[in-house]
Structures are given as structure tokens and as C-alpha cells.
Amino acid sequence: EPEVTQTPSHQVTQMGQEVILRCVPISNHLYFYWYRQILGQKVEFLVSFYNNEISEKSEIFDDQFSVERPDGSNFTLKIRSTKLEDSAMYFCASSDPTGGPSRNTIYFGEGSWLTVV
Amino acid sequence: LAKTTQPISMDSYEGQEVNITCSHNNIATNDYITWYQQFPSQGPRFIIQGYKTKVTNEVASLFIPADRKSSTLSLPRVSLSDTAVYYCLVGPDTGRRALTFGSGTRLQVQP
């Protein structure tokens, strides 16, 4: 089964540093997402990206966050100046809602665990 | 978005059938009901989706009554590897919109 891949699997960073989390979505997918899950809490939506622009974002996704699709395969989440409360598992996801049996399915990656110290 | 309510936790034994019910009284006409599974330290994984009546795949069955105000995820003959958190989500266009996860149901399967 095709999968969403994320790197790094775990990153430790100092507060105030910039972090870039990378994702390779499933190759024919059109929608890309970032979610996060703070330890012991719910999975929270951050942002969705379609046609090279943000289509939806939550209030968590403030000016400290940005997303980019620098080439045809990668999708990145940048946190400009990390805070302690940014420590979480960050999940990338992708979907292809245009047709087929999996059109209503969002596929998640294994996550990148970010620890801000 | 329709609010969902599901049990916080459930316990079962290997080989049993597990039924997890989700209430969604305010479901809208164009909403689908979708269930995801999440293992510790992994991303959520799609299990099944339905609109009405019954849907079955190789993993689970989803039962939806005529009023659609609730749904039941049925896992036949669970094994230890089915220990996970199960989320019920309700909403439209689930392949192109943000998903709103609740707290889910933590299923613990014992030998």
C-alpha cells in the first residue's frame, strides 16, 4: 500500500530555533495536510494545502508556522521560532478526493516527534 | 461540524466481537461517518466509512440506523493487535477537508 513518509522521525531543538519537518505525500495525491498531537491529547488539524496554496488552517497555525511544496514531491512544515509548547508529534497526511474508492480517505504518515527544550 | 460522543474506553478479550457506538445527533444531510484507528506513536489509519445502512470491509463493519444519529463500529474476533484508539468522525467531503478528532475510544484487548 502506498504511504506518506516523514522525516525526521524525532528531532530535539532548542527553544527559539527554526525547525523544518519534511513529508513525501503519496505520489498522485492532491491535498496535503499537517496535524499535530501533543502527548496524551487529541489529534489537531493545523493546515491543508491544495493547488499550491493553503486551503484551510486552524487557529493553531499562526505566523510562526508556514508550509511549502518546494518541488513535485516534498511538502514541508516550518516552525520559525519554536516554543516549548510546540513539542508534539506532527503528522503529515495526503488525499486524492477526485475519485475512486479511496476518495474520502486521508492517509497519515508515521509522524515526526518534535521535542523543544 | 456534528459533535460526536463515544465511550472513553473499552476492554475486550481476544476472539471476541467488539462494538463501539458513536452518537452524532446533529449529523447533517451531507455528512459521512468515518472511523479511524490509531496505535501509540503512529498516525491515524482509515478503517471504514459509511453514509447509511451497513458497510463491511476486510477489517470491520459499520452499522448506521435509518435516522443516522448514531453508528456502531464492529470489529469481529479482535486480537491483541487491535488494541488502539478508535475515532468516530462525522463531516462532509472527508477527502478534502480538515478532520476534527475527538478523544476517541481506547480499546484494550487482553489475552
Side-chain angles (χ1 to χ4, degrees), chain B residues 7-60:
Chain B
I8 294 172
S9 64
M10 293 182 71
D11 291 310
S12 183
Y13 292 94
E14 282 192 291
Q16 289 190 330
E17 178 184 78
V18 170
N19 296 307
I20 307 174
T21 297
C22 179
S23 297
H24 27 81
N25 291 317
N26 297 323
I27 190 168
T29 305
N30 58 344
D31 285 345
Y32 286 81
I33 301 155
T34 311
W35 286 79
Y36 278 77
Q37 172 193 55
Q38 186 182 27
F39 298 114
S41 300
Q42 293 189 28
R45 185 175 75 101
F46 173 89
I47 302 175
I48 198 166
Q49 184 182 77
Y51 184 80
K52 61 181 179 181
T53 62
K54 177 184 173 184
V55 180
T56 297
N57 62 22
E58 64 277 5
V59 176

Side-chain angles (χ1 to χ4, degrees), chain A residues 33 35 37 56 91 95 104 106, chain B residues 36 38 43-44 49 94-95 98-99:
Chain A
Y33 313 82
Y35 287 76
Q37 187 172 31
E56 267 188 282
F91 296 111
S95 64
N104 292 316
I106 294 181
Chain B
Y36 278 77
Q38 186 182 27
Q49 184 182 77
T94 53
L99 299 177

Side-chain angles (χ1 to χ4, degrees), chain A residues 2 23 28 57 76 79 88 114:
Chain A
C23 168
N28 61 334
K57 63 180 181 178
T76 62
I79 308 175
L114 176 65

